[in-house]
Amino acid sequence: MKAVETSMLSFMQQPKQQFVIPVYQRTYKWTRLNCKQLLDDIIRVSKFENKTHFIGSIVYLTDEYYQATKLNQLSIIDGQQRITTVSLLLLAMSNYLKEDLNKFDTTSDELFNEYLINNTYKNKYGNDYIKLKLTKHDKDIYSKLIKSDIINDCTHNIYSNYKYFYETIKRESIDIDKLYDGIAKLMIVDVSLVRTQDDPQLIFESLNSTGVKLTQADLIRNYLLMDLKIEFQSRIYNDFWFEIENKLKENKEELSEFIRDYLTIKHERIPKKTEVYSEFKKYFTDNFSHLENDIEKLIKELYIYSTIYEKIIKKQENNAKINQYFKDFYELDVKVVYPLLLKLYFDYETKLINQDELLHILSLIESCIIRRIICSAPTNSLSKIFLNLIKNIKITNYIDSAEKILMSREGNQRFPRDKEFENEFILKDIYNLNPSNRKFILSKIENFGSKEILNIDEFTIEHIMPQSTNLSDKWVSALGSDWKQVHSKYLHTIGNLSLTRYNSEMGNKFFTEKRDIAGGYKDSSCWLNKGLRNLDTWNECEIVKRAKSLIDKSIEIWPTPKIKDSKSDYNVILDFEDDWKGKKPKYFTFMDEKHPIKDITNLYLEIINIIYNFDPEVFIDIVNDELITNKRMFSVNSNDFHGNSPQLADTNFFINTNFNSDAKKTNLLALINKIGFNEDDFVIYL
């Protein structure tokens, strides 16, 4: 085995060589997202004179001796996706150059003859003059592209990615000479195996062995520090990065989570956990250079934010009132609030807001969380609510803007108003909530306004009306003729729950017995039992009366914003959770590209076309999926649908637009989920 560092172009330029993808290898699978990342990396590295970009290893099997009269066929074991993608990019560049021969120093023939074909042997080896020989599924399309033949299967991944490169170069007028320089800086490890001497399977397994996988934070650290001068690298690592790691070392993912939350603030979108590294690279290239001053500036800022983050997650703020909220959010287990807390606390530390403003907003956030729990609003909407605050809160008018933002959201992102909160709370099954939520709600109601804080961990939850359906005659008589219905309806609700240390002694006893036993309601130190001391019976009326009293206190604990309802000021983003009826979107973004639109139908068609262009092969499979066919979204016959039925790109499919706005939303969600995107990848602006 021989392994040497070389450039991708030097490897591809070798004469009389053919790169053969063995039949057992998987077919070409890179999507447009992978192509975009590669193109971005190439453009980025082209801007630096002495910088290269490593893209991995190319491992291949060759014969120790081969005849001089024949092509040397390299059997590619690892690296076919990169070779194929770079070949498609070079072909797109070559074809683009044919449109204007005098614009660039690089020529179409240079790219085509040096890297894509064995030009000297074109007539000698038939189709084998093409340097890249793919497997059956991909070979025909690639061969037609090389020969400029007519291609009928426009959905094929090979053609789709070639088309992406060609259209991007043309649309953005990319400088081919600079792009060529960037490709020349792509570095690989060239690993050659000799058929008679090496075991390719063993080597392949070693290259792809499991081992300890690098975290997203590890990749970011290496990205920032690897290419620096030793002295500077050591100082930056020891003074800052090591300290960041030391603060956030509870588990190996904690540092990655911190950087993800930091990026959420800076990029104003939530990166996927698996894409923190790639999102960080994009943030870095958009805002910084690899000069030492920029590197130091960024890592110092990360250090400052990590100090704040540590106080939040470890609940170590010196101010007891602020720290209590950090404890509360920890108990509620709402980690999606951390990016917002990081922003708020940073603004507090840098004197942009004062203590009272911070406490007020923390109170509103907690209110929003608790009210949504009681009103059964979906928890997965919280991240969008908090992101909306991060994006739109105004430094000059912090509280008013925060209140307007919270009160502007509708549907699944709503801040439940008092009436809804009260109606839901009366009949909410509090006992069977998530145990941490149940404990938190009861603890807050119990201890609100008291200087003597009761640790409810020392108590158990008491059902005043017992859980058993085998009730005594006294209980049946007290509850009335509809006792079974009353028991079922109110058993686990707030009106029937209390706290005690004497649960086993109380058991299924009647109310007055529970009240009067030693340690019963009369003797209890719990505020929750205070209203029970002077009652002589327990029935539906008393349960509802007590519930309303506790709800009045809960509204005081978890208030609504003081500002009047605002339905328009901050409702600028249209989510897939919203009601789309009557909405007028202006544009949407996908992969940082802005797409102007006129209305919901235009939005519908644009997103469908984006999903198709991302991976045409997979899209066609999705169209034939039972879930999609049942929706009657597409047909090969335009007459199958009423009204206008636009054709889908260059396919024979027509798109049914005869749906109302919410049906269009549902259809898009189905497609987005099937293709593997997230609805948050599409940000729609009104």
Side-chain angles (χ1 to χ4, degrees), residues 338-354:
Y338 285 163
L340 177 58
L341 295 184
L342 187 58
K343 173 182 170 49
L344 294 172
Y345 195 46
F346 179 83
D347 289 348
Y348 167 69
E349 288 277 273
T350 52
K351 312 298 183 186
L352 291 175
I353 55 174
N354 60 39

Side-chain angles (χ1 to χ4, degrees), residues 197-404:
Q197 299 175 11
D198 299 305
D199 183 343
Q201 180 61 31
L202 187 63
I203 292 168
F204 180 74
E205 288 174 359
S206 299
L207 287 167
N208 293 276
S209 61
T210 49
V212 179
K213 190 175 181 181
L214 292 175
T215 65
Q216 299 288 297
D218 291 333
L219 294 169
I220 289 167
R221 178 197 61 224
N222 295 353
Y223 174 76
L224 289 174
L225 302 179
M226 188 176 289
D227 202 29
L228 303 175
K229 292 177 182 176
I230 295 299
E231 299 81 4
F232 180 72
Q233 183 186 77
S234 298
R235 180 175 69 80
I236 290 296
Y237 176 77
N238 291 324
D239 290 354
F240 300 108
W241 193 271
F242 176 77
E243 293 299 323
I244 294 171
E245 289 180 336
N246 207 38
K247 292 175 186 297
L248 306 171
K249 61 181 181 181
E250 292 300 317
N251 61 68
K252 67 177 185 177
E253 294 298 334
E254 196 167 75
L255 181 52
S256 297
E257 288 293 332
F258 156 65
I259 297 175
R260 183 176 183 235
D261 292 343
Y262 168 83
L263 286 174
T264 299
I265 297 172
K266 296 297 180 178
H267 252 186
E268 296 186 346
R269 66 168 182 257
I270 305 168
K272 295 177 183 175
K273 289 186 177 182
T274 56
E275 295 176 5
V276 172
Y277 173 54
S278 58
E279 286 289 328
F280 183 88
K281 285 202 299 181
K282 175 163 181 51
Y283 168 68
F284 180 87
T285 53
D286 287 347
N287 298 279
F288 300 91
S289 73
H290 277 273
L291 297 173
E292 290 184 355
N293 286 343
D294 267 9
I295 296 285
E296 184 164 2
K297 178 183 175 183
L298 173 59
I299 295 182
K300 277 183 177 179
E301 183 173 275
L302 283 168
Y303 172 78
I304 292 168
Y305 273 98
S306 73
T307 303
I308 292 170
Y309 198 75
E310 181 187 28
K311 288 183 181 180
I312 293 170
I313 64 173
K314 294 181 180 178
K315 306 165 287 294
Q316 293 177 343
E317 161 60 31
N318 291 330
N319 184 297
K321 290 181 179 179
I322 296 172
N323 203 51
Q324 185 58 52
Y325 280 108
F326 296 162
K327 291 178 180 178
D328 289 352
F329 296 130
Y330 176 81
E331 285 185 37
L332 288 168
D333 194 24
V334 280
K335 291 183 179 179
V336 293
V337 77
Y338 285 163
L340 177 58
L341 295 184
L342 187 58
K343 173 182 170 49
L344 294 172
Y345 195 46
F346 179 83
D347 289 348
Y348 167 69
E349 288 277 273
T350 52
K351 312 298 183 186
L352 291 175
I353 55 174
N354 60 39
Q355 178 183 314
D356 290 341
E357 289 172 316
L358 176 62
L359 288 171
H360 182 77
I361 294 172
L362 293 176
S363 168
L364 291 179
I365 294 168
E366 185 178 304
S367 291
C368 181
I369 293 168
I370 295 300
R371 284 172 176 253
R372 288 173 59 81
I373 289 171
I374 297 301
C375 296
S376 303
T379 55
N380 60 2
S381 297
L382 281 174
S383 58
K384 293 181 180 178
I385 295 170
F386 299 147
L387 183 62
N388 203 25
L389 282 164
I390 289 170
K391 292 169 76 167
N392 292 308
I393 206 163
K394 286 184 168 58
I395 295 296
T396 55
N397 197 7
Y398 229 92
I399 289 181
D400 281 356
S401 64
E403 291 190 347
K404 284 181 180 179

